[in-house]
Amino acid sequence: MKASLLPVLTIALAATVACRREPPLPVTKRCVLMGTEVTVTAWDGARSSEEIGNAIDAAFARMKTLENVLSRHDETSDLSRLNRRAGEGPVEVDAGLLAVLRRARDAFDTSGGAFDPTVGPLVDLWIAAAKNDRVPSMEAVRTARERTGFDRVRIDEKAGTVSLPEGFALDLGGIAKGYIVDAGASVLREAGIRNGLLEAGGDLYAFGARPGGGAWRVGVQDPAAGESVSARLIARLAVSDRGVTTSGHYRRFSVIEGKRFSHILDPRTGFPVEQAVLSVTVIAPDAAEADGLSTAVAVLGRDDGLARIDSLPGVEALVVEAGDEGGYAFFESSGFSAYAR
Ligand code: AMP
Ligand code: MG
């Protein structure tokens, strides 16, 4: 009798152990890309830690490849090659660059031109102004502004070519980071991983659930806190299958003749955006869309910016301004509070 019970007990014990299995542990890896620390966390009960780690490495590799295509600082990038050939007619470009330009076109259209990746000549003008500590002349601003306007850039999807008018220069700093974060997420998903969070200097994409279940919890940093990771948070969000990006004049600015200037330019005037808006956080279906729109809302300002956000499905925003009596004043799009925790 006793002997015959043993296999039954063994099976029952094995079943209990299987049921009590710990929830799968997330794998986190970090890498410096795009001049910032990128952190990827991923987990999936059906994948080993080794498989997840390899998928994260593949995501980093894809992100690095795209950075090399889209960087304006790197003279050998496809983007720099295209900019050097402005005025020469159609130039064949990398598929990744073409895809980002497609997304940039959407941001340009939905923002009424407030997001405009042809701001390159203006960006250069204001960088030189900061170096010389001299505000550029109206004449210099006008000349640079004449070399902007995304509606004058010809993109031939079939031929895979882009034509820039003479003197033009694309600057994808307002959308590339979001696009690259999304591309990393696609690599993880293609490897069959169902849950992940990819974060690059405050811009992120989250998919699936956080370890243990439920939407991923992410924080929005205090505009005054700079790049510090341990910075105070001004909002806590719960997001899944969403990109979240923040644009702020507080983070990157220059001082010219004793005055602070934003790194975000108003394509309509050629001048840096006045700093009424301290920061804009946008939640969108992916990080590329969020990135383009957060830059656009920083240009448009609170009222126009939030009105446009409210007209877009699946997109929400939080605008932070200085309060009347110190501190901050917060302004939200109509559905933002659904993400707040
Ligand atoms: P972000 O931090 O995403 O708001 O991007 C800011 C960067 O986008 C700047 O450093 C410029 O490289 C670029 N940029 C500046 N102004 C604009 C604009 N109006 N539209 C598109 N890109 C811009
Ligand atoms: Mg942006």
Side-chain angles (χ1 to χ4, degrees), residues 201 221-232 250-253 328:
Q221 276 186 13
D222 184 332
E227 297 269 347
S228 157
V229 179
S230 58
R232 194 174 76 95
Y250 64 93
R251 270 205 190 158
R252 295 195 353 251
F253 59 84
Y328 297 130

Side-chain angles (χ1 to χ4, degrees), residues 119-163:
V119 290
L122 286 169
V123 170
D124 294 343
L125 178 71
W126 286 96
I127 287 175
K131 240 181 229 154
N132 305 330
D133 195 24
R134 181 140 259 160
V135 175
S137 68
M138 290 302 281
E139 176 64 20
V141 173
R142 195 164 49 80
T143 306
R145 214 175 77 77
E146 278 165 5
R147 300 198 201 118
T148 65
F150 200 31
D151 44 0
R152 290 172 58 198
V153 174
R154 294 278 152 267
I155 300 170
D156 185 333
E157 289 279 349
K158 263 202 199 131
T161 62
V162 178
S163 313

Side-chain angles (χ1 to χ4, degrees), residues 8 11 14 26 43 85 90 96 111 116 127 139 148 155 172 175 179 189 192 208 245 266 309 315 339:
V8 178
I11 290 165
W43 67 279
R85 296 185 57 189
S111 69
D116 188 333
I127 287 175
E139 176 64 20
T148 65
I155 300 170
L172 298 171
I175 196 164
Y179 181 84
R189 279 182 154 143
T245 69
D266 188 335
I309 293 294
V315 183
Y339 294 98

Side-chain angles (χ1 to χ4, degrees), residues 154-310:
R154 294 278 152 267
I155 300 170
D156 185 333
E157 289 279 349
K158 263 202 199 131
T161 62
V162 178
S163 313
L164 296 182
E166 190 159 4
F168 271 48
L170 292 170
D171 181 318
L172 298 171
I175 196 164
K177 206 195 270 180
Y179 181 84
I180 290 173
V181 162
D182 288 338
S186 296
V187 171
L188 296 181
R189 279 182 154 143
E190 281 155 22
I193 292 160
R194 289 167 293 181
N195 313 283
L197 174 66
L198 302 91
E199 196 261 338
D203 294 343
L204 61 94
Y205 181 77
F207 65 100
R210 72 176 190 274
W216 289 90
R217 300 294 169 88
V218 299
V220 179
Q221 276 186 13
D222 184 332
E227 297 269 347
S228 157
V229 179
S230 58
R232 194 174 76 95
L233 300 179
I234 51 163
R236 286 171 205 279
L237 309 174
V239 286
S240 178
D241 302 332
R242 285 285 181 278
V244 183
T245 69
T246 298
S247 286
H249 309 305
Y250 64 93
R251 270 205 190 158
R252 295 195 353 251
F253 59 84
S254 46
V255 178
I256 310 173
E257 296 180 24
K259 192 176 173 239
R260 266 193 190 207
F261 287 94
S262 171
H263 67 117
I264 299 175
L265 301 165
D266 188 335
R268 301 164 296 191
T269 63
F271 277 78
V273 169
E274 287 294 324
Q275 298 168 37
V277 171
L278 294 176
S279 87
V280 182
T281 297
V282 171
I283 307 172
D286 65 27
E289 182 172 5
D291 199 356
L293 290 173
S294 57
T295 306
V297 173
V299 173
L300 292 167
R302 185 226 305 169
D303 294 337
D304 194 7
L306 288 177
R308 277 183 202 265
I309 293 294
D310 277 336

